Amino acid sequence: MTTMTSFFWPREGDLRASERALFPTLMSLTTKEIMQIWDRVSLDIQRQLAASKSVRIAGLGTFAVLMQELHVGRKGSLLVRRPVFQLSNIVRKILNLTYARRIIPDSTPVVPLDYATIALETSNPLEAVENCLNETVMYLSHCISNELNIDFVFRDMGVLCVKQKRVKMRFYEKFLLSLDATGNFKEVLVNVSLAVF
């Protein structure tokens, strides 16, 4: 099995001609342009989560913010707002992946990514943005099906890790703190060694 410490978009020499045909938009954009689009995806997710909305990335999964009670030793428990990532069930089944399932309540509004705003903010055509996102998700699936380990960075949010078919979303501490209006998460981080998946 090959280990990949971070995710890189495909370049012409990485794939056979038949595989390159599957990713025409990724082949036509520079790595910098692709990263700019995904940086704006991260920003859109952050904006929606701050507005208490969940965000679905088609073919990948859903980000949401949930209230959770965390136990902190003798002090009892604290209620915190924390982000979660729920992997798409279809992707999980097709690629035979395991992950800690997070259930997002039906009452939480789920919105798709705002492709139009991302296109405007990156000065790319709407079709190029949509295709870039769809092809990136397809390429991620391609890498996972070839048993590569993936670290896919969501700027200022965290890293989606796929290691030996196990999926974990590790959120950055600063992002966790930015979403928790209660202020309790900071107390939890100070008092408890906590791994967030």
Side-chain angles (χ1 to χ4, degrees):
M1 180 178 341
T2 306
T3 300
M4 184 183 252
T5 56
S6 60
F7 182 78
F8 295 98
W9 283 271
R11 300 292 20 128
E12 193 133 339
D14 298 337
L15 302 170
R16 295 184 304 259
S18 61
E19 293 174 320
R20 284 195 298 274
L22 297 173
F23 311 108
T25 303
L26 293 181
M27 293 292 118
S28 68
L29 295 171
T30 66
T31 299
K32 182 178 180 181
E33 290 169 324
I34 296 168
M35 289 179 65
Q36 286 173 336
I37 291 170
W38 277 95
D39 285 351
R40 290 302 172 176
V41 166
S42 297
L43 184 60
D44 185 54
I45 294 168
Q46 292 171 59
R47 284 190 285 237
Q48 298 299 342
L49 294 180
S52 297
K53 295 178 184 174
S54 299
V55 182
R56 178 173 293 122
I57 300 177
L60 187 61
T62 303
F63 288 92
V65 176
L66 303 178
M67 292 301 287
Q68 181 179 359
E69 188 175 6
L70 295 178
H71 299 283
V72 287
R74 290 178 247 163
K75 291 188 177 189
S77 60
L78 296 172
L79 196 59
V80 298
R81 286 188 66 208
R82 67 174 281 193
V84 296
F85 174 74
Q86 181 175 305
L87 183 67
S88 161
N89 266 338
I90 294 170
V91 171
R92 181 188 60 78
K93 288 176 184 175
I94 291 172
L95 297 174
N96 194 29
L97 300 172
T98 58
Y99 75 109
R101 190 155 198 270
R102 307 288 184 214
I103 298 177
I104 299 171
D106 291 335
S107 61
T108 306
V110 179
V111 297
L113 287 169
D114 187 348
Y115 294 107
T117 299
I118 295 166
L120 184 66
E121 291 175 345
T122 60
S123 302
N124 283 293
L126 180 60
E127 184 178 7
V129 168
E130 290 173 343
N131 290 341
C132 174
L133 299 178
N134 291 334
E135 289 176 25
T136 300
V137 171
M138 283 178 23
Y139 186 62
L140 276 167
S141 295
H142 173 80
C143 292
I144 294 165
S145 69
N146 286 320
E147 299 188 7
L148 295 175
N149 293 330
I150 307 283
D151 287 335
F152 189 83
V153 176
F154 286 88
R155 185 176 181 168
D156 297 330
M157 290 178 57
V159 181
L160 180 64
C161 305
V162 183
K163 307 280 187 233
Q164 299 175 350
K165 299 270 188 172
R166 292 181 49 91
V167 179
K168 294 180 183 179
M169 181 67 203
R170 296 185 183 268
F171 293 100
Y172 298 139
E173 182 178 322
K174 186 175 179 180
F175 181 63
L176 293 170
L177 294 173
S178 74
L179 290 176
D180 182 36
T182 66
N184 289 339
F185 216 107
K186 186 172 187 171
E187 185 174 337
V188 169
L189 290 174
V190 168
N191 293 315
V192 177
S193 173
L194 179 67
V196 178
F197 300 108

